[in-house]
Amino acid sequence: MAEHIPARPSWRCRDCGANWPCQPAKLALQREYEGHSLALMLYLMACLYDLLADSESIGVKPDVEQSISRVVGWAIDGPLRVLRTLTQGR
Protein backbone atom coordinates (compact mmCIF):
# COMPACT_ATOMS: atom_id res chain seq x y z
CA MET A 1 0.00 0.00 0.00
CA ALA A 2 1.35 3.42 -0.97
CA GLU A 3 2.14 5.92 1.75
CA HIS A 4 0.93 9.39 0.91
CA ILE A 5 3.23 11.38 3.17
CA PRO A 6 4.78 14.81 2.63
CA ALA A 7 8.22 15.24 1.12
CA ARG A 8 9.90 18.07 2.97
CA PRO A 9 10.58 20.88 2.34
CA SER A 10 8.31 20.90 -0.75
CA TRP A 11 5.27 19.44 1.03
CA ARG A 12 4.29 17.44 -2.03
CA CYS A 13 3.15 13.86 -1.63
CA ARG A 14 6.03 11.37 -1.87
CA ASP A 15 3.79 8.90 -3.72
CA CYS A 16 1.59 10.87 -6.13
CA GLY A 17 3.35 14.25 -6.27
CA ALA A 18 0.23 16.28 -5.44
CA ASN A 19 0.22 19.01 -2.82
CA TRP A 20 0.05 17.35 0.59
CA PRO A 21 -2.35 16.41 2.01
CA CYS A 22 -3.46 14.80 -1.24
CA GLN A 23 -6.85 13.09 -1.42
CA PRO A 24 -5.48 9.64 -0.43
CA ALA A 25 -3.66 11.24 2.54
CA LYS A 26 -6.87 12.95 3.65
CA LEU A 27 -8.75 9.65 3.53
CA ALA A 28 -5.99 7.88 5.48
CA LEU A 29 -5.92 10.66 8.10
CA GLN A 30 -9.71 10.52 8.46
CA ARG A 31 -9.51 6.77 9.08
CA GLU A 32 -6.58 7.09 11.48
CA TYR A 33 -8.18 9.86 13.53
CA GLU A 34 -11.79 8.66 13.31
CA GLY A 35 -13.61 9.80 16.42
CA HIS A 36 -10.68 12.03 17.39
CA SER A 37 -11.22 15.11 15.25
CA LEU A 38 -9.58 17.48 17.73
CA ALA A 39 -6.44 15.33 17.71
CA LEU A 40 -6.49 15.46 13.91
CA MET A 41 -6.69 19.25 14.04
CA LEU A 42 -3.74 19.43 16.43
CA TYR A 43 -1.71 17.19 14.11
CA LEU A 44 -2.65 19.26 11.05
CA MET A 45 -1.80 22.52 12.83
CA ALA A 46 1.65 21.11 13.61
CA CYS A 47 1.99 20.18 9.93
CA LEU A 48 0.92 23.68 8.94
CA TYR A 49 3.58 25.17 11.21
CA ASP A 50 6.21 22.90 9.65
CA LEU A 51 5.06 23.71 6.10
CA LEU A 52 5.32 27.45 6.76
CA ALA A 53 8.74 27.08 8.41
CA ASP A 54 10.02 24.84 5.59
CA SER A 55 8.81 27.32 2.97
CA GLU A 56 10.65 30.16 4.64
CA SER A 57 13.79 28.05 5.07
CA ILE A 58 14.05 27.57 1.30
CA GLY A 59 13.37 31.25 0.60
CA VAL A 60 9.72 30.96 -0.39
CA LYS A 61 7.26 33.44 1.09
CA PRO A 62 4.28 31.22 1.88
CA ASP A 63 0.70 32.26 1.21
CA VAL A 64 -0.55 31.74 4.75
CA GLU A 65 -4.27 31.76 3.95
CA GLN A 66 -3.82 29.28 1.10
CA SER A 67 -1.66 27.08 3.33
CA ILE A 68 -4.28 27.07 6.09
CA SER A 69 -6.98 26.14 3.60
CA ARG A 70 -4.82 23.40 2.07
CA VAL A 71 -3.55 21.75 5.24
CA VAL A 72 -6.31 22.38 7.80
CA GLY A 73 -9.39 23.62 5.97
CA TRP A 74 -10.56 20.27 4.63
CA ALA A 75 -10.79 18.83 8.16
CA ILE A 76 -12.26 21.76 10.07
CA ASP A 77 -15.92 20.70 10.04
CA GLY A 78 -15.42 17.83 12.53
CA PRO A 79 -13.92 19.91 15.37
CA LEU A 80 -16.44 22.69 14.82
CA ARG A 81 -19.23 20.14 15.14
CA VAL A 82 -17.71 18.87 18.40
CA LEU A 83 -17.37 22.40 19.79
CA ARG A 84 -20.99 23.22 18.85
CA THR A 85 -22.15 20.06 20.61
CA LEU A 86 -20.13 20.85 23.74
CA THR A 87 -21.41 24.42 23.97
CA GLN A 88 -25.09 23.85 23.10
CA GLY A 89 -26.23 23.52 26.69
CA ARG A 90 -24.55 26.72 27.88
Side-chain angles (χ1 to χ4, degrees):
M1 182 177 207
E3 279 195 276
H4 292 267
I5 58 175
R8 293 178 68 176
S10 71
W11 284 84
R12 297 189 69 78
C13 176
R14 288 183 186 266
D15 185 66
C16 68
N19 283 339
W20 191 91
C22 58
Q23 194 59 37
K26 290 174 185 177
L27 292 172
L29 288 166
Q30 285 175 329
R31 280 192 300 272
E32 182 177 345
Y33 286 92
E34 187 174 355
H36 303 282
S37 57
L38 293 176
L40 173 61
M41 289 303 297
L42 290 172
Y43 172 72
L44 292 174
M45 291 300 291
C47 290
L48 174 64
Y49 177 86
D50 288 344
L51 179 147
L52 295 173
D54 285 351
S55 295
E56 290 181 0
S57 76
I58 58 172
V60 174
K61 182 172 171 45
D63 180 332
V64 175
E65 286 185 31
Q66 188 275 333
S67 298
I68 291 169
S69 178
R70 170 182 156 186
V71 177
V72 179
W74 67 272
I76 206 158
D77 184 54
L80 288 178
R81 198 172 335 115
V82 169
L83 288 173
R84 280 192 295 271
T85 302
L86 291 173
T87 59
Q88 275 181 337
R90 294 181 183 188

